[in-house]
Amino acid sequence: MDLTFTPEQEAFRAEARAWLAAHVPRTPLPSMDTAEGFRRHREWERVLHDGGYAMVSWPVEYGGRGCNLIEWLIFEEEYWGAGAPGRVNQNGIFLLGPTLMEFGTPEQKARYLPKMARSEEVWAQGWSEPNAGSDMAAIRTSARLDGDHYVLNGQKTWCSRAAFADWIFCLVRTDPTSERHKGLSFILVPLDTPGVRVRPIPQLDGETGFAEVFFDEARVPRVHRLGEEHQGWKIAMATAGFERGLMLRSPARFQATARRLRRLWEARGADADPTLRDRVVRAWMDAEAYSLSTYATASRLIAGGSIGAEASLTKIFWSEMDVRMHETALALLGADAGLLPPVAPPEAAGWLDGFLFSLAGPIYAGTNEIQRNVIAERVLGLPRD
Amino acid sequence: MDLTFTPEQEAFRAEARAWLAAHVPRTPLPSMDTAEGFRRHREWERVLHDGGYAMVSWPVEYGGRGCNLIEWLIFEEEYWGAGAPGRVNQNGIFLLGPTLMEFGTPEQKARYLPKMARSEEVWAQGWSEPNAGSDMAAIRTSARLDGDHYVLNGQKTWCSRAAFADWIFCLVRTDPTSERHKGLSFILVPLDTPGVRVRPIPQLDGETGFAEVFFDEARVPRVHRLGEEHQGWKIAMATAGFERGLMLRSPARFQATARRLRRLWEARGADADPTLRDRVVRAWMDAEAYSLSTYATASRLIAGGSIGAEASLTKIFWSEMDVRMHETALALLGADAGLLPPVAPPEAAGWLDGFLFSLAGPIYAGTNEIQRNVIAERVLGLPRD
Amino acid sequence: MHFAFEDEHLRFRDSVRGVLDRVCAPAAVRKVWEDAPAHDAGRWRALAELGLLGLLAPERAGGLGLDEVSMVLALEETGRAALPEAIVDTALVAVPLLAGLEDHGIADPWLGRIAAGEVVVGVGCQPNPWVAHADAAELLLLVDRDEIHALPRAEVRSEPLPHLDAAQRLFRVAWTPSARTRVAAGAHGRRLHAAAVDRGALGAAAQLLGVAARLIEEAVGYAKQREQFGREIGSFQAIKHRLANARVRLEFARPVVYRAAFGIARDLPARGRDASHAKLVAADAAAFAARAALQVHGAIGYTWEVDLHVWMKRAWALETTWGTSGWHRGRLAAAVLDPHEEAS
Amino acid sequence: MHFAFEDEHLRFRDSVRGVLDRVCAPAAVRKVWEDAPAHDAGRWRALAELGLLGLLAPERAGGLGLDEVSMVLALEETGRAALPEAIVDTALVAVPLLAGLEDHGIADPWLGRIAAGEVVVGVGCQPNPWVAHADAAELLLLVDRDEIHALPRAEVRSEPLPHLDAAQRLFRVAWTPSARTRVAAGAHGRRLHAAAVDRGALGAAAQLLGVAARLIEEAVGYAKQREQFGREIGSFQAIKHRLANARVRLEFARPVVYRAAFGIARDLPARGRDASHAKLVAADAAAFAARAALQVHGAIGYTWEVDLHVWMKRAWALETTWGTSGWHRGRLAAAVLDPHEEAS
């Protein structure tokens, strides 16, 4: 055990910090859920890529710089510490990318990863269906093989980024006689395929962070299938593992939030409810714990270990922490909390949006109820329901 | 609506207060879970009875003074405000008594209630069995009719007060072919019946607040059955309703606890964790809410209403409130919290015992998990599991 | 001691619910968000016809001469319906304030017009500095230190403060106090101000109860029809227990709010403490219900399309009107821990 | 940056667990409650043979010369076993304190005897004023302002303080500081005292992790065999989710404790802050696990007969040793909110 950083790691940190200081946009980009904001975020990804920072932990051949996970965490700390924009291609670089590296053919890796690293192709995800939310194995969208194409019919929903993305990865039923987890395949679909229609879903904040995607006899080349036919569940579970586990919410984000919360306390604490002081400290404690836990996970992965059901512990922790931090911020803001720009005071910036977004955390990537079942059954060994 | 007390009610309060001031033992009685403490508590009940305060809400003919429920609540406020002892015959006066008044024959009422009011006969309760705890309908203790006697065989457990009580009320299976809620009867059993054996169960605090009761061909006269044969479940549910509802934990107890907590805060708060101040206020808030809710329930009952599944809301509220209050007290006591008499400082008196007792609250009288099921299904109308 | 509503209170509540179901369905609130003024003259008149607007006004001025106990259940209904109009500020706060002025000549015409549903009144003071519906208010009652001032809309400048709950039309109001606008001062002004704050808190608390109840209803309804894993999700203990917990909070918030209504109606010494208690527990019940209802709905509850956010946003908005929870917690703690008084 | 234990740490933990399973089964702890001295010479020697007692002592004095990182997993095991002996005070606090004295002539003989399992050392200071196992301690290290004093048992008077956790043998110790008993003073004394507090908090935190883990294990085991309503209670979501929540708290407490061990081993500037953080989260994880485990057991968990209270009581007792949660919360808040420092 050594919790200090090596001189090389410190050098990498300094280099990343300097680069970010020079390149991070001075003013926040417009929301990536608008056409203009999406474009600007995609541009920013290109800047990142050209600086060598799009996905530092990827191999050089795919557009990364071959860093290990510790260095990736260092980069994330600098990235969020610098107030850099959210990652518009998160579905690609953090979820599909690692899945492709594990399950893709050499051709598939060469085809998809470099464009993903440049965000020349931005990815949406297509897990859920109207009747397959928490119960993901209830998927009904079908893909029948016709020559060297799959023909897709059905509907996906809660597809994040789908409104403006280029591609979507989906879990679909390739064996029409199959049930539940069997007979599913993992297929990558260009969103401009004829027969694919995208309908953005407005959220409660009025933004359209996700969309429904309809497939009506949409023909997708067979080579876009990832992994074996009918073996999609296993691959999806690996992707979901990345989602719940290390990649989806890097600790640096929450540490940055905890620091912002402390500054808000400094600005507002004197007049605020004295019980909030403890909640500001709690935010720091939680963010630290999450960071430490992530460094431990990264160390284990580097040593050849893997993330299993423990990813569910992580999902619960960060999603609940995120809600608590934002609730604390709103309480510090008092009556200013609900005001919208431009009348909201400067110190309120981002907190209300962040609060609303945090509320989705216990729902997406597998509801926390599902995660608790997973922990109970697979970590603790309790019997199934 | 009128939340002020009438002159008559105020007069009754003043009278009760004066009487209690003159009669409540100056020093706390020994624990009622010891032979000596039980005897002393029984004596105190006799003092109460002779003063006319054993069960103020009972009819005069059974040893009460015919007060309504509002006056009972007033008495309870004075009782707990005066620091009077716990009620050793609680199972009798608060649970079985009201059940007898609703379901007993005139002979049964005349036989049991006056002796109960004087605590000449102290009652234990016999709901649970080793394999019928939360699942009370799984009861297996049998009572077969043999002439004008029932012959009991089986085992009850968690029988509060059984170590020293005179009688126990039990739910037993009179129809051996029956299942679940059917075929059960409600039977009153003298604990000195041949074939009845009581084994006290030491608790985690070393006290023996409850016991196991074994029945081995114990013969009980048929006239000790309460209500119709095989109809015991309905009666038990009524008793359990009293238990969860108005009678088991009168609000005055928690208001007295909240006041003690405030005094502890005054003594210890200056040096304590500042977050505890809010928890002391929370205790007051909770106790007030519970008191107000109880006055509303009493008003409804006086107007001819009844308590149904809402009793489960009450059980959850007071049991969780009680734990919170005691946790707060222990936090205020800091390192003194775990010390036992005689070295514990005077302001610590009662808090540790109270804390341990509070932990049983979410378990007894139907676990809070069961109560939440009841609320979900019977108050909210959600489907059964 | 009789802690129950009378039959006429319950009947009045039912009438109000019936009318609100008709004139204030979720679609109507959504229309306000999108393109309608928040104040709807038709809805306002419907409330006047029920007697709600003049309920607290003396009979001589065209009111019903009733008290806050008679009003609190109806206010709960306005929360349940997420009513956009300034019902609390006008009918619960402004009416008694006007009726408490020494000069009936000023007050009574306004009271008559309020009871008739002809005017809205905006109220601004600490701890409720932003004036709701100042755009629709013909009269503004504004507090400056120990003075109460009454101004027509034309004499103030109002800057709109867009809010997450788009039906909360809040304004920062700039105005100049003068002897001409002053209607009360000194001890009398302070008393009226204090009473206004307590009534505002009570009104927000009552509405929060209704919001909490509606959120639970919506979640229960959804949990009974949504199926996952081959069964209604409402049969899972995780769902059941969460909603049961929400119901417990609501159950024990209600009598606290009703007690506050009684204390204000009788002007009891603990009215301020009890109003703060009411606001705190009602806000807590509503916030808890909002979290529970959203989690039960899952992603669908996060969409604009589903009505759930009508009440979620109202829950969050009301938590900070007429005193934030922090403000009330401070006031309550001071009262409860006051060393000069044995807490009751 | 490499946040993982080495193989030898894991092997050492396994050895300690194996020995404790043998010499410190729950029945042994219960025997201590009832009639045995809390300090068992055989158990103590078994720990010495493992190398645990002299682990932090320099090799010149018969120790292993290792650091807190090498020790923390083993201490977790002592919590899991509810070990009664003064392992934290002797092996984690007293050993480095003695090793840090300037006069090796005083320290080394004691260190050798500690490593050999021949003596217990009691430690008393703020915020740990009561001395554990003062009855068994041959040497007492006591703090008086900025001075550290070392006294043989014969020179102090000890009043036993009976505790809910009957295996916690605590004493109020009366003694007279003198130049003869003084072993460190001034800046050096303060430094040793501060390090002792951090180590004590770390030790209690590590034990609390073990207690929490054991409570969860016990509850899981019970939930898998107890049936109600015709199925194992562990198949009910209410049980599953509560234990899952307990597991989440434990999971995220562990790395905080391990970080504190590293910080103390390296004497990093944030060691005090991190030790307080560790103590707080470990106490919270254990308290939550205790409540969950009791509720899962139901009435049977409330009995003397079932072992559950062995760990419940230890969870509550450790929460107030080497600084209460309130004390640590205050120290942590001061560090985190210190305006002179950007929180890391």
Side-chain angles (χ1 to χ4, degrees), chain B residues 241-296:
Chain B
F242 296 125
E243 187 173 24
R244 290 171 195 166
L246 202 60
M247 291 286 184
L248 180 61
R249 291 286 172 263
S250 69
R253 235 170 125 142
F254 302 105
Q255 292 180 297
T257 305
R259 281 194 300 269
R260 286 204 298 132
L261 193 56
R262 182 191 138 164
R263 289 196 294 272
L264 186 60
W265 163 257
E266 284 161 1
R268 293 284 188 125
D271 300 326
D273 184 346
T275 65
L276 296 174
R277 179 174 187 263
D278 189 56
R279 288 165 63 182
V280 172
V281 177
R282 168 89 191 266
W284 178 90
M285 292 169 70
D286 286 345
E288 284 289 299
Y290 185 51
S291 167
L292 292 165
S293 169
T294 308
Y295 273 109

Side-chain angles (χ1 to χ4, degrees), chain A residues 130-135 158 180 201-204 206 210 273 323 327 334-336 338-340 343 352 355-357 359-360 362-363 369-370 385, chain C residues 130 159-164 226 228-231 236 238 242 291 294-295 298-305 309 312-313 316 320 324-326 329:
Chain A
N131 290 303
S134 288
D135 184 9
W158 320 127
R180 309 289 305 157
I201 305 176
Q203 297 168 183
L204 49 77
F210 37 53
D273 183 346
V323 174
E327 284 176 341
D336 290 336
L339 298 184
L340 303 180
V343 300
L352 182 60
F355 169 66
L356 296 177
F357 183 66
L359 293 179
I363 295 170
E369 286 73 23
I370 298 292
D385 204 346
Chain C
W130 299 330
E159 176 204 356
L161 299 171
H163 195 276
L164 175 68
R226 168 75 170 169
Q228 289 280 272
F229 304 101
R231 48 196 267 208
F236 287 107
R242 191 154 190 170
R291 276 297 302 283
L294 176 59
Q295 192 67 20
I300 194 89
Y302 203 74
T303 62
W304 185 268
E305 182 185 348
H309 59 138
M312 285 200 289
K313 289 172 176 172
W316 301 325
T320 62
T324 63
S325 288
R329 191 172 289 117

Side-chain angles (χ1 to χ4, degrees), chain B residues 30-215:
Chain B
S31 161
M32 66 174 84
D33 296 326
T34 61
E36 167 65 7
F38 193 89
R39 190 182 62 71
R40 296 280 301 281
H41 278 81
R42 198 201 283 259
E43 278 173 14
W44 163 245
E45 289 289 332
R46 184 60 187 245
V47 173
L48 271 174
H49 178 267
D50 293 348
Y53 291 104
M55 201 55 210
V56 297
S57 60
W58 283 17
V60 176
E61 60 186 303
Y62 301 132
R65 59 165 71 196
C67 289
N68 70 16
L69 285 172
I70 299 293
E71 290 154 336
W72 176 68
L73 289 170
I74 292 170
F75 175 73
E76 289 283 299
E77 285 169 5
E78 295 306 318
Y79 190 87
W80 296 106
R87 304 297 300 266
V88 71
N89 206 7
Q90 172 164 299
N91 289 317
I93 56 181
F94 293 152
L95 301 184
L96 183 59
T99 313
L100 268 164
M101 289 188 219
E102 192 169 340
F103 296 97
T105 63
E107 296 70 29
Q108 287 178 324
K109 294 183 198 179
R111 162 68 189 79
Y112 299 113
L113 292 172
K115 291 189 175 179
M116 192 185 284
R118 289 197 296 274
S119 285
E120 220 174 288
E121 293 176 349
V122 174
W123 288 80
Q125 62 84 357
W127 292 141
S128 299
E129 300 185 2
N131 290 303
S134 288
D135 185 11
M136 204 161 98
I139 278 172
R140 287 194 298 206
T141 295
S142 68
R144 84 173 181 271
L145 200 56
D146 178 22
D148 58 358
H149 280 70
Y150 286 105
V151 184
L152 271 62
N153 281 286
Q155 178 190 355
K156 292 288 176 186
T157 192
W158 320 128
C159 306
S160 55
R161 300 288 87 72
F164 305 105
D166 309 293
W167 285 75
I168 186 168
F169 56 87
C170 297
L171 197 61
V172 296
R173 197 162 291 282
T174 37
D175 175 358
T177 68
S178 65
E179 291 200 344
R180 309 290 303 160
H181 315 81
K182 308 219 167 87
L184 301 170
S185 298
F186 197 111
I187 294 186
L188 315 179
V189 183
L191 280 167
D192 60 1
T193 304
V196 175
R197 188 165 57 86
V198 176
R199 191 183 77 91
I201 305 176
Q203 296 167 185
L204 49 77
D205 58 1
E207 302 276 1
T208 53
F210 39 49
E212 291 176 295
V213 177
F214 299 90
F215 303 98

Side-chain angles (χ1 to χ4, degrees), chain B residues 319-368:
Chain B
S319 59
E320 296 189 344
M321 160 174 69
D322 201 26
V323 174
R324 275 195 303 272
M325 285 179 173
H326 284 90
E327 285 175 341
T328 304
L330 297 196
L332 278 167
L333 287 165
D336 289 337
L339 297 185
L340 303 180
V343 300
E347 66 267 33
W351 286 115
L352 182 61
D353 284 350
F355 168 66
L356 295 177
F357 184 65
S358 78
L359 292 179
I363 296 169
Y364 62 75
T367 64
N368 285 12

Side-chain angles (χ1 to χ4, degrees), chain B residues 21 27 43 110 155 214 230 239 275 306 345 359 369 385:
Chain B
T27 53
E43 278 173 14
Q155 178 190 355
F214 299 90
H230 307 334
T239 309
T275 65
S306 61
L359 292 179
E369 286 75 23
D385 203 347

Side-chain angles (χ1 to χ4, degrees), chain B residues 130-131 133-135 158 201-204 206 273 323 334-336 338-340 343 355-357 359-360 362-363 369-370, chain D residues 130 159-160 162-164 226 228-229 238 242 291 294-295 298-304 309 312-313 316 320 324 326 329:
Chain B
N131 290 303
S134 288
D135 185 11
W158 320 128
I201 305 176
Q203 296 167 185
L204 49 77
D273 184 346
V323 174
D336 289 337
L339 297 185
L340 303 180
V343 300
F355 168 66
L356 295 177
F357 184 65
L359 292 179
I363 296 169
E369 286 75 23
I370 297 294
Chain D
W130 300 330
E159 176 205 0
H163 195 278
L164 174 69
R226 168 74 171 170
Q228 290 279 272
F229 305 100
R242 191 156 190 168
R291 276 295 303 284
L294 176 58
Q295 192 67 18
I300 194 90
Y302 203 76
T303 62
W304 186 268
H309 59 139
M312 285 200 288
K313 290 172 176 173
W316 302 325
T320 62
T324 64
R329 193 172 288 116

